[in-house]
Amino acid sequence: MTERHEVLNVNSIDYDTENPRIKKALEKYGDKLNAERIHFALRSASEGERGASSFVGLRDSIRACRGIQSPIVVTARGDRYHCVDGNTRLAIYKQFLKEQPEDRWSKIKAIVLEDVTQVDIEKVRVAAHMVGAREWPAYEKARYLHYLRNQEFMDFSEMVALCGGNKKDIERQIDAYHDMNE
């Protein structure tokens, strides 16, 4: 397997209909599956216990950062691409492009895998979703939020846009950091 970094047109990338996180939700559509239903499944799969959506948090963060930080992972299929990892990020770009057709949202950073086997694809999925990024300890998160707020003088609206959540949650975490240090 080889890989290359590219910036691809979002309209040349298809969603992964075999995405394990939304596979069950997609099965109910049968042959009526389309991009809107996949987008809905991706958004619904990120609903939290209290109705909070990691989809909305990610969307707001991408907007605030003016793009994604981590490229999506795709495989080439003729003149199109198949998204192996990053379907939610892709859905957000497509949503932005539909709502506000700016050039910024028409292209997305991607890692293009070539000479890939099904085992290679499953390894990407496992690494991205079963293992994923390591969660920071609560103290370190709170300490970093304190730093952003007090050392870098980042205002709460910018912190919420970048980190998700809301001002009250961020204030609670910063207060907890102070409590832990007393």
Side-chain angles (χ1 to χ4, degrees), residues 14-103:
D14 299 316
Y15 294 117
D16 182 7
T17 58
E18 298 299 316
N19 184 331
R21 187 166 42 133
I22 59 170
K23 181 75 171 147
K24 178 96 172 118
L26 297 182
E27 287 173 350
K28 68 182 175 187
Y29 296 117
D31 62 353
K32 295 182 174 133
L33 185 62
N34 60 29
E36 289 78 27
R37 290 181 169 147
I38 295 170
H39 180 94
F40 178 77
L42 289 165
R43 185 179 178 123
S44 298
S46 67
E47 292 291 320
E49 291 177 4
R50 298 179 300 160
S53 172
S54 61
F55 182 95
V56 172
L58 179 60
R59 181 196 67 202
D60 293 348
S61 179
I62 289 171
R63 181 179 285 130
C65 292
R66 302 175 61 82
I68 58 172
Q69 302 305 306
S70 299
I72 65 171
V73 179
V74 302
T75 59
R77 289 195 175 166
D79 62 344
R80 298 197 55 78
Y81 297 91
H82 174 254
C83 188
V84 174
D85 175 50
N87 285 274
T88 302
R89 285 169 279 162
L90 176 62
I92 290 167
Y93 264 65
K94 288 185 179 199
Q95 177 184 352
F96 285 166
L97 186 59
K98 189 176 184 178
E99 292 170 356
Q100 42 186 263
E102 297 177 30
D103 192 44

Coordinates of all heavy atoms in Angstrom, one line a residue, residues 14-103:
D14 N -17.0 9.9 -2.8 CA -18.2 9.3 -2.3 C -18.0 8.8 -0.9 O -16.9 8.5 -0.5 CB -18.4 8.0 -3.2 CG -18.6 8.4 -4.7 OD1 -19.4 9.4 -5.0 OD2 -18.1 7.7 -5.6
Y15 N -19.2 8.8 -0.2 CA -19.2 8.3 1.2 C -19.0 6.8 1.2 O -19.2 6.1 0.2 CB -20.5 8.6 1.8 CG -20.9 10.1 2.0 CD1 -21.9 10.6 1.4 CD2 -20.1 10.9 2.9 CE1 -22.3 12.0 1.6 CE2 -20.4 12.2 3.1 CZ -21.5 12.7 2.4 OH -21.8 14.1 2.6
D16 N -18.5 6.3 2.4 CA -18.3 4.9 2.6 C -19.6 4.3 3.1 O -20.0 4.4 4.2 CB -17.2 4.7 3.6 CG -16.9 3.3 3.9 OD1 -17.4 2.4 3.2 OD2 -16.1 3.0 4.8
T17 N -20.3 3.6 2.2 CA -21.6 2.9 2.5 C -21.3 1.7 3.4 O -22.3 1.1 3.9 CB -22.4 2.6 1.3 OG1 -21.6 1.7 0.5 CG2 -22.8 3.8 0.5
E18 N -20.1 1.3 3.5 CA -19.8 0.2 4.4 C -19.2 0.6 5.8 O -18.7 -0.2 6.5 CB -18.7 -0.7 3.7 CG -19.2 -1.4 2.4 CD -20.4 -2.2 2.6 OE1 -20.5 -3.0 3.6 OE2 -21.4 -2.1 1.8
N19 N -19.3 1.9 6.0 CA -18.8 2.5 7.3 C -19.5 1.8 8.5 O -20.7 1.9 8.6 CB -19.2 4.0 7.3 CG -18.7 4.8 8.5 OD1 -18.5 4.2 9.5 ND2 -18.5 6.1 8.3
P20 N -18.7 1.1 9.3 CA -19.3 0.3 10.3 C -20.1 1.1 11.4 O -21.0 0.6 11.9 CB -18.0 -0.3 11.0 CG -17.0 -0.2 10.0 CD -17.2 1.0 9.2
R21 N -19.7 2.4 11.5 CA -20.4 3.2 12.5 C -21.9 3.5 12.1 O -22.7 3.6 13.0 CB -19.7 4.5 12.7 CG -20.3 5.3 13.9 CD -19.3 6.4 14.3 NE -18.7 7.1 13.2 CZ -18.6 8.4 13.1 NH1 -19.1 9.2 14.0 NH2 -18.0 8.9 12.0
I22 N -22.2 3.5 10.8 CA -23.5 3.8 10.4 C -24.1 2.7 9.5 O -25.2 2.9 8.9 CB -23.5 5.1 9.6 CG1 -22.6 5.1 8.4 CG2 -23.2 6.3 10.5 CD1 -22.7 6.3 7.4
K23 N -23.5 1.6 9.4 CA -23.9 0.5 8.6 C -25.3 0.0 8.9 O -26.2 -0.1 8.0 CB -22.9 -0.7 8.7 CG -23.3 -1.9 7.8 CD -22.9 -1.7 6.4 CE -23.1 -2.9 5.6 NZ -23.5 -2.7 4.3
K24 N -25.7 -0.1 10.1 CA -27.0 -0.5 10.6 C -28.0 0.5 10.1 O -29.1 0.1 9.6 CB -27.0 -0.7 12.1 CG -28.4 -1.1 12.6 CD -28.5 -2.6 12.8 CE -29.8 -3.0 13.5 NZ -30.7 -3.8 12.7
A25 N -27.7 1.8 10.3 CA -28.7 2.8 9.9 C -28.9 2.9 8.4 O -30.0 3.2 8.0 CB -28.2 4.2 10.4
L26 N -27.9 2.5 7.7 CA -28.0 2.6 6.2 C -28.7 1.4 5.6 O -29.4 1.5 4.6 CB -26.6 2.7 5.6 CG -25.7 3.9 5.9 CD1 -24.4 3.8 5.2 CD2 -26.5 5.2 5.6
E27 N -28.7 0.3 6.3 CA -29.4 -0.9 5.8 C -30.9 -0.7 5.6 O -31.5 -1.3 4.7 CB -29.1 -2.1 6.8 CG -27.7 -2.6 6.7 CD -27.4 -3.7 7.8 OE1 -28.2 -3.9 8.7 OE2 -26.3 -4.3 7.7
K28 N -31.5 0.1 6.4 CA -33.0 0.3 6.3 C -33.4 1.0 5.0 O -34.5 0.9 4.6 CB -33.5 1.1 7.5 CG -33.1 2.5 7.6 CD -33.6 3.1 8.9 CE -33.1 4.5 9.0 NZ -33.5 5.1 10.3
Y29 N -32.4 1.7 4.4 CA -32.8 2.4 3.1 C -32.7 1.5 1.9 O -33.3 1.8 0.9 CB -31.9 3.6 2.9 CG -32.0 4.6 4.0 CD1 -31.0 4.9 4.8 CD2 -33.2 5.3 4.2 CE1 -31.1 5.9 5.8 CE2 -33.4 6.3 5.1 CZ -32.3 6.6 6.0 OH -32.4 7.5 6.9
G30 N -32.1 0.3 2.0 CA -32.0 -0.6 0.9 C -31.5 0.1 -0.4 O -30.4 0.8 -0.3
D31 N -32.2 0.0 -1.5 CA -31.8 0.6 -2.7 C -32.1 2.0 -2.8 O -31.9 2.7 -3.9 CB -32.3 -0.2 -3.9 CG -33.8 -0.2 -4.0 OD1 -34.5 0.2 -3.0 OD2 -34.4 -0.7 -5.0
K32 N -32.7 2.6 -1.8 CA -33.1 4.0 -1.8 C -32.0 4.9 -1.1 O -32.3 6.0 -0.7 CB -34.4 4.2 -1.1 CG -35.6 3.6 -1.9 CD -36.9 3.9 -1.3 CE -38.0 3.4 -2.3 NZ -38.9 2.6 -1.7
L33 N -30.8 4.3 -0.9 CA -29.7 5.0 -0.2 C -29.2 6.1 -1.1 O -29.0 5.9 -2.3 CB -28.6 4.0 0.1 CG -27.5 4.5 0.9 CD1 -27.9 5.0 2.3 CD2 -26.4 3.4 1.1
N34 N -29.0 7.3 -0.5 CA -28.5 8.4 -1.2 C -27.6 9.3 -0.3 O -27.5 9.0 0.9 CB -29.6 9.3 -1.9 CG -30.5 9.9 -0.9 OD1 -30.2 10.1 0.3 ND2 -31.8 10.1 -1.3
A35 N -27.0 10.3 -0.8 CA -26.0 11.1 -0.1 C -26.7 11.8 1.1 O -26.1 11.9 2.2 CB -25.4 12.1 -1.0
E36 N -27.9 12.2 1.0 CA -28.7 12.9 2.1 C -28.9 12.0 3.2 O -28.8 12.3 4.4 CB -30.0 13.5 1.6 CG -29.8 14.7 0.7 CD -29.4 14.4 -0.8 OE1 -29.8 13.2 -1.2 OE2 -28.8 15.2 -1.4
R37 N -29.2 10.7 2.9 CA -29.5 9.7 4.0 C -28.2 9.3 4.7 O -28.2 9.1 5.9 CB -30.2 8.5 3.4 CG -31.7 8.9 3.0 CD -32.4 7.8 2.4 NE -33.8 8.2 2.3 CZ -34.7 7.8 1.4 NH1 -34.3 7.0 0.5 NH2 -35.9 8.2 1.4
I38 N -27.1 9.3 3.9 CA -25.8 9.0 4.5 C -25.4 10.2 5.5 O -25.0 9.9 6.6 CB -24.7 8.7 3.5 CG1 -25.1 7.5 2.7 CG2 -23.3 8.6 4.1 CD1 -24.2 7.2 1.5
H39 N -25.6 11.4 5.0 CA -25.3 12.6 5.8 C -26.2 12.5 7.1 O -25.6 12.8 8.2 CB -25.6 13.8 5.0 CG -25.4 15.1 5.7 ND1 -24.2 15.8 5.6 CD2 -26.1 15.8 6.6 CE1 -24.2 16.9 6.4 NE2 -25.4 16.9 7.0
F40 N -27.4 12.2 7.0 CA -28.3 12.1 8.1 C -27.8 11.0 9.1 O -27.8 11.3 10.3 CB -29.7 11.8 7.7 CG -30.7 11.7 8.9 CD1 -31.1 12.8 9.6 CD2 -31.1 10.4 9.3 CE1 -32.0 12.7 10.7 CE2 -32.0 10.3 10.4 CZ -32.4 11.4 11.1
A41 N -27.4 9.9 8.6 CA -26.9 8.8 9.4 C -25.6 9.2 10.2 O -25.4 8.9 11.3 CB -26.7 7.5 8.6
L42 N -24.7 9.9 9.5 CA -23.5 10.4 10.1 C -23.8 11.4 11.2 O -23.2 11.3 12.3 CB -22.6 11.0 9.0 CG -21.9 10.1 8.0 CD1 -21.4 10.9 6.8 CD2 -20.9 9.2 8.7
R43 N -24.7 12.3 10.9 CA -25.0 13.3 12.0 C -25.7 12.6 13.2 O -25.4 12.9 14.3 CB -26.0 14.3 11.4 CG -26.3 15.4 12.3 CD -27.2 16.5 11.7 NE -27.4 17.5 12.7 CZ -27.2 18.7 12.6 NH1 -26.7 19.2 11.5 NH2 -27.5 19.6 13.6
S44 N -26.6 11.7 12.9 CA -27.4 11.0 14.0 C -26.4 10.1 14.8 O -26.7 9.9 16.0 CB -28.5 10.1 13.4 OG -29.4 10.9 12.7
A45 N -25.4 9.5 14.2 CA -24.5 8.6 14.9 C -23.7 9.3 15.9 O -23.1 8.7 16.8 CB -23.6 7.9 13.9
S46 N -23.7 10.7 15.8 CA -22.8 11.4 16.8 C -23.6 12.1 17.9 O -23.1 12.9 18.6 CB -22.0 12.5 16.0 OG -22.8 13.5 15.5
E47 N -24.9 11.7 18.0 CA -25.7 12.3 19.0 C -25.3 11.8 20.4 O -25.1 10.6 20.6 CB -27.2 12.0 18.8 CG -27.8 12.6 17.6 CD -28.0 14.1 17.8 OE1 -28.3 14.6 18.9 OE2 -27.8 14.8 16.8
G48 N -25.1 12.7 21.3 CA -24.7 12.3 22.7 C -25.8 12.0 23.6 O -27.0 12.1 23.2
E49 N -25.5 11.6 24.8 CA -26.6 11.3 25.8 C -27.5 12.4 26.1 O -28.7 12.3 26.3 CB -25.9 10.7 27.1 CG -25.3 9.4 26.9 CD -24.6 8.9 28.2 OE1 -24.7 9.6 29.2 OE2 -24.0 7.9 28.1
R50 N -26.9 13.6 26.2 CA -27.7 14.8 26.6 C -28.2 15.6 25.4 O -28.5 16.8 25.5 CB -26.9 15.7 27.5 CG -26.5 15.0 28.8 CD -25.7 16.0 29.7 NE -24.5 16.3 29.0 CZ -23.8 17.4 29.3 NH1 -24.2 18.2 30.3 NH2 -22.7 17.7 28.7
G51 N -28.2 14.9 24.2 CA -28.6 15.6 23.0 C -27.5 16.4 22.4 O -27.7 17.0 21.3
A52 N -26.3 16.5 23.0 CA -25.2 17.2 22.4 C -24.7 16.4 21.3 O -24.6 15.2 21.3 CB -24.1 17.4 23.5
S53 N -24.2 17.1 20.2 CA -23.8 16.4 19.0 C -22.3 16.7 18.8 O -21.9 17.8 18.7 CB -24.7 16.9 17.9 OG -24.1 16.4 16.6
S54 N -21.6 15.6 18.6 CA -20.2 15.8 18.3 C -20.1 16.3 16.8 O -19.1 16.9 16.4 CB -19.4 14.5 18.5 OG -19.9 13.5 17.7
F55 N -21.1 16.0 16.0 CA -21.2 16.5 14.6 C -21.2 18.0 14.6 O -20.5 18.6 13.9 CB -22.4 15.9 13.9 CG -22.6 16.3 12.5 CD1 -22.1 15.5 11.5 CD2 -23.1 17.5 12.1 CE1 -22.2 15.9 10.2 CE2 -23.3 17.9 10.8 CZ -22.8 17.1 9.8
V56 N -22.1 18.6 15.5 CA -22.2 20.0 15.6 C -20.9 20.6 16.1 O -20.4 21.6 15.6 CB -23.4 20.4 16.4 CG1 -23.4 21.9 16.7 CG2 -24.7 20.0 15.7
G57 N -20.3 20.0 17.1 CA -19.0 20.5 17.6 C -17.9 20.4 16.6 O -17.2 21.4 16.4
L58 N -17.8 19.3 15.9 CA -16.8 19.2 14.8 C -17.1 20.2 13.7 O -16.2 20.9 13.2 CB -16.8 17.8 14.2 CG -15.9 17.5 13.1 CD1 -14.4 17.8 13.5 CD2 -16.0 16.1 12.6
R59 N -18.4 20.4 13.3 CA -18.7 21.4 12.3 C -18.3 22.8 12.7 O -17.7 23.5 11.9 CB -20.2 21.3 12.1 CG -20.7 22.3 11.0 CD -22.2 22.5 11.0 NE -22.5 23.3 12.3 CZ -23.7 23.3 12.8 NH1 -24.7 22.6 12.3 NH2 -23.9 23.9 13.9
D60 N -18.6 23.1 13.9 CA -18.3 24.5 14.4 C -16.7 24.7 14.5 O -16.2 25.7 14.2 CB -18.9 24.8 15.7 CG -20.4 24.8 15.7 OD1 -21.0 24.9 14.5 OD2 -21.1 24.8 16.7
S61 N -16.0 23.6 14.9 CA -14.6 23.7 14.9 C -14.0 23.8 13.5 O -13.0 24.6 13.3 CB -14.0 22.5 15.6 OG -12.6 22.5 15.7
I62 N -14.5 23.1 12.6 CA -14.0 23.2 11.2 C -14.2 24.6 10.7 O -13.3 25.2 10.0 CB -14.6 22.1 10.3 CG1 -14.1 20.7 10.7 CG2 -14.4 22.4 8.8 CD1 -14.8 19.6 10.0
R63 N -15.4 25.1 10.9 CA -15.7 26.5 10.5 C -14.7 27.5 11.1 O -14.2 28.3 10.5 CB -17.1 26.8 10.8 CG -17.5 28.2 10.3 CD -18.9 28.6 10.6 NE -19.8 27.9 9.6 CZ -20.9 27.2 10.0 NH1 -21.2 27.1 11.3 NH2 -21.6 26.6 9.1
A64 N -14.5 27.4 12.4 CA -13.7 28.3 13.2 C -12.2 28.2 12.7 O -11.5 29.2 12.6 CB -13.8 28.1 14.7
C65 N -11.8 27.0 12.4 CA -10.4 26.8 11.9 C -10.2 27.0 10.4 O -9.1 27.0 9.9 CB -9.9 25.4 12.3 SG -9.7 25.1 14.0
R66 N -11.3 27.3 9.8 CA -11.4 27.5 8.3 C -10.9 26.3 7.5 O -10.2 26.4 6.5 CB -10.6 28.8 8.0 CG -11.2 30.0 8.7 CD -10.4 31.2 8.4 NE -10.3 31.7 7.1 CZ -11.2 32.4 6.4 NH1 -12.3 32.7 7.0 NH2 -11.0 32.7 5.1
G67 N -11.2 25.1 8.1 CA -10.8 23.9 7.4 C -10.4 22.8 8.4 O -10.4 23.0 9.6
I68 N -10.2 21.6 7.9 CA -9.8 20.5 8.7 C -8.3 20.5 9.0 O -7.5 21.0 8.2 CB -10.2 19.1 8.1 CG1 -9.6 18.9 6.7 CG2 -11.7 19.0 8.0 CD1 -9.8 17.5 6.1
Q69 N -8.0 19.9 10.1 CA -6.6 19.7 10.5 C -6.0 18.4 10.0 O -4.9 18.2 9.5 CB -6.4 19.9 12.0 CG -6.9 21.2 12.5 CD -6.3 22.4 11.8 OE1 -5.1 22.5 11.7 NE2 -7.1 23.3 11.3
S70 N -6.9 17.3 10.2 CA -6.5 16.0 9.8 C -7.1 15.6 8.5 O -8.3 15.7 8.4 CB -7.0 15.0 10.9 OG -6.4 15.2 12.1
P71 N -6.3 15.2 7.5 CA -6.9 14.9 6.2 C -7.8 13.6 6.3 O -7.6 12.8 7.2 CB -5.6 14.5 5.4 CG -4.5 14.9 6.2 CD -4.9 15.0 7.6
I72 N -8.7 13.6 5.4 CA -9.5 12.4 5.3 C -8.7 11.3 4.6 O -7.7 11.6 4.0 CB -10.9 12.6 4.6 CG1 -10.7 13.0 3.1 CG2 -11.7 13.7 5.3 CD1 -11.9 13.1 2.3
V73 N -9.1 10.1 4.6 CA -8.4 9.0 3.9 C -9.3 8.4 2.9 O -10.5 8.1 3.2 CB -8.0 7.9 4.9 CG1 -7.2 6.8 4.2 CG2 -7.1 8.5 6.0
V74 N -8.8 8.3 1.6 CA -9.6 7.9 0.5 C -8.9 6.8 -0.3 O -7.6 6.8 -0.2 CB -10.1 9.0 -0.4 CG1 -10.9 10.1 0.3 CG2 -8.9 9.7 -1.1
T75 N -9.6 6.1 -1.1 CA -9.0 5.2 -2.1 C -9.5 5.7 -3.5 O -10.6 6.2 -3.6 CB -9.4 3.7 -1.9 OG1 -10.8 3.6 -2.0 CG2 -8.9 3.2 -0.6
A76 N -8.7 5.5 -4.5 CA -9.1 5.9 -5.8 C -9.9 4.8 -6.5 O -9.6 3.6 -6.3 CB -7.9 6.2 -6.7
R77 N -11.0 5.3 -7.1 CA -11.9 4.3 -7.9 C -12.2 5.0 -9.2 O -13.2 5.7 -9.3 CB -13.2 4.1 -7.1 CG -13.0 3.2 -5.9 CD -14.3 2.7 -5.3 NE -14.0 1.8 -4.2 CZ -15.0 1.4 -3.4 NH1 -16.2 1.8 -3.6 NH2 -14.7 0.6 -2.4
G78 N -11.3 4.7 -10.2 CA -11.5 5.4 -11.5 C -11.2 6.9 -11.3 O -10.2 7.3 -10.8
D79 N -12.2 7.7 -11.8 CA -12.0 9.1 -11.7 C -12.6 9.7 -10.4 O -12.8 10.9 -10.2 CB -12.6 9.8 -12.9 CG -14.0 9.6 -13.1 OD1 -14.6 8.7 -12.5 OD2 -14.7 10.3 -13.9
R80 N -13.1 8.8 -9.5 CA -13.7 9.2 -8.3 C -12.9 8.6 -7.1 O -12.0 7.8 -7.3 CB -15.2 8.7 -8.2 CG -16.0 9.3 -9.3 CD -17.5 9.3 -9.1 NE -18.0 9.8 -7.8 CZ -18.1 11.1 -7.6 NH1 -17.8 12.0 -8.5 NH2 -18.6 11.5 -6.4
Y81 N -13.3 9.0 -5.9 CA -12.6 8.6 -4.7 C -13.7 8.0 -3.7 O -14.8 8.4 -3.7 CB -11.8 9.7 -4.0 CG -10.7 10.2 -4.9 CD1 -11.0 11.3 -5.8 CD2 -9.5 9.6 -4.9 CE1 -10.0 11.7 -6.6 CE2 -8.5 10.1 -5.7 CZ -8.7 11.2 -6.6 OH -7.7 11.6 -7.4
H82 N -13.2 7.1 -2.9 CA -14.1 6.5 -1.9 C -13.5 6.8 -0.5 O -12.3 6.5 -0.2 CB -14.1 4.9 -2.1 CG -14.8 4.2 -1.1 ND1 -14.2 3.4 -0.1 CD2 -16.1 4.0 -0.8 CE1 -15.0 2.9 0.7 NE2 -16.2 3.2 0.3
C83 N -14.3 7.4 0.3 CA -13.8 7.9 1.7 C -13.8 6.7 2.6 O -14.8 6.1 2.9 CB -14.8 9.0 2.2 SG -14.1 9.7 3.7
V84 N -12.6 6.4 3.1 CA -12.5 5.3 4.1 C -12.5 5.8 5.5 O -13.2 5.2 6.4 CB -11.1 4.5 3.8 CG1 -10.9 3.5 4.9 CG2 -11.1 3.9 2.5
D85 N -11.9 6.9 5.7 CA -12.0 7.6 7.1 C -12.2 9.1 6.8 O -11.5 9.7 6.0 CB -10.7 7.3 7.8 CG -10.7 8.1 9.1 OD1 -11.6 8.0 9.9 OD2 -9.7 8.8 9.4
G86 N -13.1 9.6 7.6 CA -13.4 11.1 7.5 C -14.7 11.4 6.8 O -14.9 12.5 6.3
N87 N -15.6 10.4 6.9 CA -16.9 10.7 6.2 C -17.7 11.8 6.9 O -18.3 12.6 6.2 CB -17.8 9.4 6.3 CG -17.3 8.3 5.3 OD1 -17.7 8.3 4.2 ND2 -16.5 7.4 5.8
T88 N -17.6 12.0 8.2 CA -18.2 13.1 8.8 C -17.6 14.4 8.4 O -18.3 15.4 8.1 CB -18.2 12.9 10.4 OG1 -18.8 11.7 10.7 CG2 -19.0 14.1 11.1
R89 N -16.3 14.5 8.4 CA -15.6 15.7 7.9 C -16.0 16.0 6.5 O -16.3 17.2 6.1 CB -14.1 15.6 8.0 CG -13.6 15.7 9.5 CD -12.2 15.3 9.6 NE -12.1 13.8 9.7 CZ -11.0 13.1 9.5 NH1 -9.9 13.7 9.2 NH2 -11.1 11.8 9.5
L90 N -16.1 15.0 5.6 CA -16.5 15.2 4.2 C -18.0 15.7 4.2 O -18.3 16.6 3.4 CB -16.4 13.9 3.5 CG -16.9 13.9 2.0 CD1 -16.1 14.8 1.2 CD2 -16.8 12.4 1.5
A91 N -18.8 15.1 5.0 CA -20.2 15.6 5.0 C -20.3 17.0 5.4 O -21.2 17.8 4.9 CB -21.0 14.7 6.0
I92 N -19.5 17.4 6.4 CA -19.5 18.8 6.8 C -19.1 19.8 5.7 O -19.7 20.8 5.4 CB -18.7 19.0 8.1 CG1 -19.4 18.3 9.3 CG2 -18.4 20.5 8.4 CD1 -18.5 18.1 10.5
Y93 N -18.0 19.4 5.0 CA -17.6 20.2 3.9 C -18.7 20.3 2.8 O -18.9 21.4 2.3 CB -16.3 19.6 3.2 CG -15.0 20.2 3.7 CD1 -14.6 20.1 5.0 CD2 -14.2 20.9 2.8 CE1 -13.4 20.6 5.5 CE2 -13.0 21.4 3.3 CZ -12.6 21.3 4.6 OH -11.4 21.8 5.0
K94 N -19.3 19.2 2.5 CA -20.4 19.2 1.5 C -21.5 20.0 2.0 O -22.2 20.7 1.1 CB -20.8 17.7 1.2 CG -19.8 17.0 0.4 CD -20.3 15.6 -0.1 CE -19.2 14.9 -0.9 NZ -19.7 13.8 -1.7
Q95 N -21.8 20.0 3.2 CA -22.9 20.8 3.8 C -22.5 22.3 3.6 O -23.3 23.1 3.2 CB -23.2 20.5 5.3 CG -24.2 21.4 5.9 CD -24.3 21.1 7.4 OE1 -23.8 20.1 7.9 NE2 -25.1 21.9 8.1
F96 N -21.3 22.7 4.0 CA -20.8 24.0 3.9 C -20.9 24.5 2.5 O -21.3 25.6 2.2 CB -19.4 24.2 4.4 CG -19.3 24.2 5.9 CD1 -18.0 24.0 6.5 CD2 -20.3 24.3 6.8 CE1 -17.8 24.0 7.8 CE2 -20.2 24.3 8.1 CZ -18.9 24.2 8.7
L97 N -20.4 23.7 1.5 CA -20.4 24.0 0.1 C -21.8 24.3 -0.4 O -22.1 25.2 -1.2 CB -19.7 22.9 -0.7 CG -19.5 23.2 -2.2 CD1 -18.7 24.5 -2.4 CD2 -18.8 22.0 -2.8
K98 N -22.8 23.5 0.1 CA -24.2 23.6 -0.3 C -24.8 24.9 0.2 O -25.5 25.6 -0.5 CB -25.0 22.4 0.2 CG -26.4 22.3 -0.3 CD -27.0 21.0 0.1 CE -28.4 20.9 -0.4 NZ -29.0 19.6 0.0
E99 N -24.4 25.2 1.5 CA -25.0 26.4 2.2 C -24.3 27.7 1.7 O -25.0 28.7 1.6 CB -24.8 26.3 3.7 CG -25.6 25.2 4.3 CD -25.3 25.0 5.8 OE1 -24.3 25.6 6.3 OE2 -26.0 24.1 6.4
Q100 N -23.0 27.7 1.5 CA -22.3 28.8 1.1 C -21.2 28.4 0.1 O -20.1 28.1 0.5 CB -21.7 29.5 2.3 CG -21.1 28.5 3.3 CD -20.6 29.2 4.6 OE1 -19.4 29.5 4.7 NE2 -21.5 29.4 5.5
P101 N -21.5 28.4 -1.2 CA -20.6 27.9 -2.2 C -19.3 28.7 -2.3 O -19.1 29.5 -3.2 CB -21.4 27.9 -3.5 CG -22.7 28.5 -3.2 CD -22.8 28.9 -1.7
E102 N -18.4 28.6 -1.3 CA -17.1 29.3 -1.3 C -16.1 28.2 -1.8 O -16.2 27.1 -1.5 CB -16.8 29.7 0.1 CG -17.7 30.8 0.7 CD -17.3 31.2 2.1 OE1 -16.1 31.1 2.4 OE2 -18.2 31.5 2.9
D103 N -15.1 28.7 -2.4 CA -14.0 27.8 -2.9 C -13.4 27.1 -1.8 O -13.0 25.9 -2.0 CB -13.0 28.6 -3.7 CG -12.1 27.7 -4.5 OD1 -12.6 26.8 -5.1 OD2 -10.9 28.0 -4.5

